[in-house]
Amino acid sequence: MDTFSLIVTIGVALGFTYTNGFHDSANAIATSVSTRALTPRAALAMAAVMNLAGAFLGSGVAKTVSEGIIATPTGQKGMGILFAALVGAIIWNLITWYFGLPSSSSHALFGGMVGAALAGGTTVYWSGVLDKIVIPMLTSPIVGLVVGYLVMVAILWMFRRSNPHKAKRGFRIAQTVSAAGMALGHGLQDAQKTMGIVMMALVISGDETYGDEIPIWVKLACAAMLSLGTYAGGWRIMRTLGRKIIELDPPQGFAAETTGASIMFASSYLFHAPISTTHVITSAIMGVGATKGTKAVRWGVAKNIVMGWFITMPAAALVAAGSYFVVQLIF
């Protein structure tokens, strides 16, 4: 196996993780920045550290990505498929980042994997795609919406007799904890997705076999790149999540982040399902906002975001398939 193609593929995988970090940093901190619970730089630094820590909390999601979506392709063709999948995901991340759309980096990656696999004639495990990606993609926003609404209703009821100013001050402090939990969950979910891809590359090259423990250098590299990307910050998307869906106050921000973090930890540990942190936090914000009445949420912005969710996988798949044919032509 050509060592050069392995190094290039791993390099592109780490590049994807970096774009994932700055694309999705808003998920962890947009709510706490918009409510002024944290300054942007402090929030980004905290999120970067928590992303790094979260990457070491498990490996179930990485296993799903590396073994459950496509059959492991072999040889140079296999590396070409992985390379094209990552290029498709990176290009889609950059397009959605440019337009400030909080689309899912995870689904860009999965779409890229499926598109490149189909273009390269590799088996796609459609049952795995349905069970581990499509069903969680459809259910996690609904769960986020409902749970976000219920958590906010519970908070409103529990603090109904409290002094509003004191309560808001308390929730502003509590938000530093909920934002940290959100960033930890983001690291747990999204760093593992790249670990799964790097493991596939190492299996194709013969350096690892499935069932082996993920090497510590892979965990460190993926976690570090996600943290660096997070610290670089995705300001365009932060504006969309923090202000354009609904103007959040500290109790709402706390409710949305607590909901998002809980769902991410549950899906990682109970189902090993690679869900989208973007879908979860966006739907939680909508659910929390709906407690103010349906008119409080800017449903037009929400509709554009949901449209972005649905086109992400097919769009990334098309870009990845095109990338695969370009790779074939050149190499």
Side-chain angles (χ1 to χ4, degrees):
M1 168 53 63
D2 185 353
T3 308
F4 175 72
S5 60
L6 174 65
I7 291 168
V8 167
T9 304
I10 291 174
V12 176
L14 295 176
F16 165 75
T17 312
Y18 183 83
T19 67
N20 187 343
F22 77 70
H23 193 280
D24 289 3
S25 57
N27 298 343
I29 61 168
T31 45
S32 40
V33 170
S34 72
T35 61
R36 296 183 175 82
L38 292 166
T39 64
R41 278 290 157 216
L44 283 168
M46 178 274 294
V49 171
M50 287 298 177
N51 275 183
L52 195 65
F56 290 90
L57 292 181
S59 58
V61 171
K63 188 175 170 63
T64 298
V65 172
S66 61
E67 299 176 40
I69 298 167
I70 63 173
T72 304
T74 54
Q76 289 289 60
K77 181 180 166 185
M79 283 296 180
I81 287 170
L82 281 191
F83 178 83
L86 290 160
V87 168
I90 289 170
I91 290 171
W92 187 250
N93 267 358
L94 293 174
I95 291 168
T96 49
W97 166 80
Y98 181 79
F99 290 106
L101 264 183
S103 76
S104 165
S105 294
S106 309
H107 291 119
L109 177 62
F110 303 141
M113 287 173 75
V114 170
L118 290 173
T122 292
T123 305
V124 175
Y125 298 137
W126 291 110
S127 60
V129 172
L130 182 69
D131 294 346
K132 296 291 187 182
I133 297 168
V134 176
I135 290 173
M137 179 174 86
L138 297 175
T139 55
S140 60
I142 296 166
V143 173
L145 195 74
V146 173
V147 175
Y149 182 85
L150 294 175
V151 168
M152 193 62 218
V153 166
I155 286 171
L156 289 169
W157 187 81
M158 286 162 67
F159 290 89
R160 65 193 184 282
R161 293 195 179 90
S162 302
N163 177 306
H165 292 296
K166 271 188 182 170
K168 278 188 181 177
R169 199 158 57 240
F171 274 109
R172 203 164 264 142
I173 295 162
Q175 258 200 286
T176 57
V177 179
S178 60
M182 192 69 208
L184 199 66
H186 181 225
L188 173 65
Q189 273 279 338
D190 285 20
Q192 280 193 56
K193 288 160 192 165
T194 311
M195 288 177 207
I197 293 287
V198 174
M199 274 302 281
M200 279 184 92
L202 292 170
V203 169
I204 292 169
S205 70
D207 291 291
E208 297 283 339
T209 56
Y210 284 133
D212 288 349
E213 194 64 29
I214 297 172
I216 193 76
W217 68 267
V218 173
K219 290 186 177 184
L220 267 173
C222 294
M225 288 306 281
L226 188 71
S227 290
L228 286 171
T230 296
Y231 192 69
W235 301 105
R236 290 168 188 265
I237 292 168
M238 215 176 290
R239 279 195 290 274
T240 302
L241 280 181
R243 294 281 165 87
K244 287 186 182 173
I245 299 173
I246 180 174
E247 293 284 346
L248 290 165
D249 60 21
Q252 290 173 325
F254 174 80
E257 287 167 347
T258 303
T259 299
S262 305
I263 293 169
M264 282 195 291
F265 280 104
S267 63
S268 297
Y269 287 120
L270 298 178
F271 307 109
H272 298 163
I275 61 165
S276 166
T277 51
T278 311
H279 291 193
V280 170
I281 190 63
T282 309
S283 57
I285 290 170
M286 290 177 200
V288 163
T291 58
K292 276 187 169 178
T294 50
K295 287 184 179 164
V297 179
R298 299 185 183 107
W299 295 108
V301 176
K303 185 188 79 180
N304 291 343
I305 290 168
V306 173
M307 285 289 289
W309 293 353
F310 279 106
I311 62 170
T312 289
M313 271 189 78
L318 283 171
V319 176
S323 303
Y324 179 76
F325 291 124
V326 171
V327 168
Q328 289 296 95
L329 277 175
I330 297 169
F331 296 107

